[in-house]
């Protein structure tokens, strides 16, 4: 990890986000993207893909994915 990682210990903010660095960054990104809100993830890409899938598809809805997504993005 880099010292400048937002949630890294000793980085820009602490785990309780008392410095509001992550919150402010999400607000700035939402403004830039003309969105109501944005969410940054701090885990690996598989978790980010799952979060995106859950955000756009409801229960029992179909979701079209590319041919070569990470194999951990969904079960089975």
């Amino acid at each position: 990890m880099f010292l400048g990682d937002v949630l890294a210990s000793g980085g820009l903010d602490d785990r309780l986000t008392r410095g509001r660095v992550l919150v402010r960054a999400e607000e700035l990104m939402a403004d830039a993207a003309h969105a109501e809100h944005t969410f940054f993830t701090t885990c690996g890409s598989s978790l980010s893909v799952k979060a995106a899938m859950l955000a756009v598809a409801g229960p029992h809805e179909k979701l079209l994915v590319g041919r070569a997504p990470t194999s951990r993005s969904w079960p089975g």
Side-chain angles (χ1 to χ4, degrees), residues 48-67 69 73-74:
S48 299
V49 170
K50 288 178 184 177
M53 290 173 149
L54 291 170
V56 299
H60 309 291
E61 290 184 329
K62 293 183 180 181
L63 184 65
L64 181 65
V65 296
R67 277 181 41 165
S73 296
W74 61 84

Side-chain angles (χ1 to χ4, degrees), residues 38-59:
T38 57
F39 299 94
F40 295 153
T41 63
T42 57
C43 296
S45 62
S46 295
L47 179 63
S48 299
V49 170
K50 288 178 184 177
M53 290 173 149
L54 291 170
V56 299

Side-chain angles (χ1 to χ4, degrees), residues 4-23:
D5 283 351
V6 174
L7 295 180
S9 178
L12 297 174
D13 209 345
D14 60 22
R15 292 270 179 208
L16 299 176
T17 64
R18 289 180 282 223
R20 296 187 38 85
V21 175
L22 181 61
V23 172

Side-chain angles (χ1 to χ4, degrees), residues 24-38 40:
R24 182 67 180 135
E26 289 174 338
E27 290 170 351
L28 290 170
M29 185 63 211
D31 185 51
H34 305 287
E36 290 182 24
H37 193 83
T38 57
F40 295 153

